[in-house]
Amino acid sequence: RTNKISADFTTAAKTAALTKINEAKTQMPFLISLPEVERKKYGNMGPKSVAYANQCLEGAIAFPNELKANFNLVEYQKDVALANNLLGVRVAVASLLELIDDTMAAAGIDVMGASSEVYASLKASAKNDASVKTMVELIGERFKAQGKKKGTL
């Protein structure tokens, strides 16, 4: 079994990273959380949608007299600028999240593989050592519900 990753990520480093993430949040106090229904209804604003909005904004600026009288061009400009700037942040954060997810997956592969080796070794030793048997029973609690169909006792 080969190790996928070998790294030290201390509690202090974790705290520092979380502090930086929280600092980034404070730079964007306007961030909101939409209800799931609204999020699904309107979809995501990706690069193609931002490009579309930029082109429409150019048209609105070039031909303001063609817009409805109650159209708020200033607010529209702010919204388009916000979408443009957030897209850059989103790309960076999505990339970071992908790296974190992949690293967690690699660590999980290493951890579960090594844990299975430890459990197998302890199970073998438990046949001759009562103190090890107690630990094996404790570890084995994880597997108790596996293999049972729901609704059976």
Side-chain angles (χ1 to χ4, degrees), residues 8-30:
D8 290 320
F9 186 52
T10 64
T11 302
K14 174 186 159 189
T15 300
L18 291 173
T19 298
K20 294 289 186 188
I21 290 168
N22 285 326
E23 287 174 10
K25 284 183 190 177
T26 64
Q27 294 299 311
M28 299 176 281
F30 49 82

Side-chain angles (χ1 to χ4, degrees), residues 8-139:
D8 290 320
F9 186 52
T10 64
T11 302
K14 174 186 159 189
T15 300
L18 291 173
T19 298
K20 294 289 186 188
I21 290 168
N22 285 326
E23 287 174 10
K25 284 183 190 177
T26 64
Q27 294 299 311
M28 299 176 281
F30 49 82
L31 294 176
I32 62 170
S33 180
L34 289 175
E36 186 70 26
V37 174
E38 244 183 284
R39 197 176 306 125
K40 285 182 180 180
K41 181 179 178 183
Y42 296 110
N44 292 328
M45 182 95 181
K48 289 181 182 179
S49 297
V50 171
Y52 167 76
N54 284 328
Q55 291 172 332
C56 288
L57 177 59
E58 286 179 30
I61 291 170
F63 305 103
N65 294 333
E66 302 302 321
L67 304 174
K68 292 181 180 178
N70 66 346
F71 187 82
N72 188 337
L73 183 57
V74 172
E75 186 61 32
Y76 181 53
Q77 288 173 304
K78 280 176 53 179
D79 291 345
V80 172
L82 178 63
N84 276 300
N85 291 328
L86 283 176
L87 181 62
V89 173
R90 188 184 190 295
V91 168
V93 170
S95 174
L96 176 61
L97 183 58
E98 184 176 345
L99 291 170
I100 291 169
D101 286 346
D102 288 350
T103 304
M104 282 186 65
I109 291 166
D110 291 348
V111 166
M112 293 309 289
S115 296
S116 293
E117 284 182 34
V118 168
Y119 185 54
S121 295
L122 292 176
K123 274 176 54 176
S125 296
K127 295 173 185 172
N128 301 319
D129 188 334
S131 62
V132 176
K133 184 178 181 181
T134 303
M135 177 57 72
V136 168
E137 288 171 354
L138 182 65
I139 295 170

